[in-house]
Structures are given as structure tokens and as C-alpha cells.
Amino acid sequence: MPRTKIAIEPVLLRELKQRAAREGTTVQALVNSLLRRGMRSAHGKYRLEIEGWNGVLQPGVDISDRNSLYRAMEGR
């Protein structure tokens, strides 16, 4: 396996070491597993479907933006 150097924040490295010890694995194996999982979830599309609710998208309201939602609700 090729070797690559990366800089990991000290606090994060300490947490990685503790978790690896708890799980009985190496830091390298843990980091590879977490990266793999993160890469998979970053590429996957997620669609939320809610049954029994007939919502309609409103112009100018970004449902992923909390402040946009609050502004829309204040305008009721």
C-alpha cells in the first residue's frame, strides 16, 4: 500500500488513537474505514419523502437553510 503523509490535528489524533484502542484496531485501519464511509456517503444522493404531508416548495425558501425557514415562518 502506498504511503501518504497527512497532518492531523492533535486533538483529533488523540481521539483516533483512543477509538482505535477501544475497537481493537490500528489508527491506519480506522482512518481508512472512516474515509471509505465518508466517501460513500458524500456520493450518495439522499431524498427525504414524508407521507401524509402535502407541502409545496416556496420561492425563496431554502429548506436546508435554517435562517431561510425562520424568515418564512415569521412572515405567516
Side-chain angles (χ1 to χ4, degrees), residues 30-50:
L30 177 61
V31 168
N32 282 323
S33 172
L34 293 170
L35 285 171
R36 219 176 282 109
R37 190 179 326 155
M39 296 292 287
R40 272 195 306 265
S41 68
H43 289 108
K45 297 285 183 184
Y46 181 79
R47 180 165 168 73
L48 177 63
E49 294 189 24
I50 302 173

Side-chain angles (χ1 to χ4, degrees), residues 6-76:
I6 61 170
I8 300 176
E9 297 171 11
V11 172
L12 183 55
L13 181 58
R14 191 168 36 256
E15 290 176 20
L16 284 167
K17 287 179 178 180
Q18 290 170 350
R19 181 168 170 180
R22 270 195 320 272
E23 295 179 9
T25 188
T26 64
V27 171
Q28 177 180 336
L30 177 61
V31 168
N32 282 323
S33 172
L34 293 170
L35 285 171
R36 219 176 282 109
R37 190 179 326 155
M39 296 292 287
R40 272 195 306 265
S41 68
H43 289 108
K45 297 285 183 184
Y46 181 79
R47 180 165 168 73
L48 177 63
E49 294 189 24
I50 302 173
E51 293 181 20
W53 182 65
N54 296 320
V56 178
L57 291 177
Q58 300 295 311
V61 178
D62 178 2
I63 63 170
S64 65
D65 176 9
R66 179 182 68 175
N67 293 329
S68 173
L69 289 172
Y70 285 148
R71 281 191 300 275
M73 291 181 343
E74 288 170 358
R76 288 180 159 185

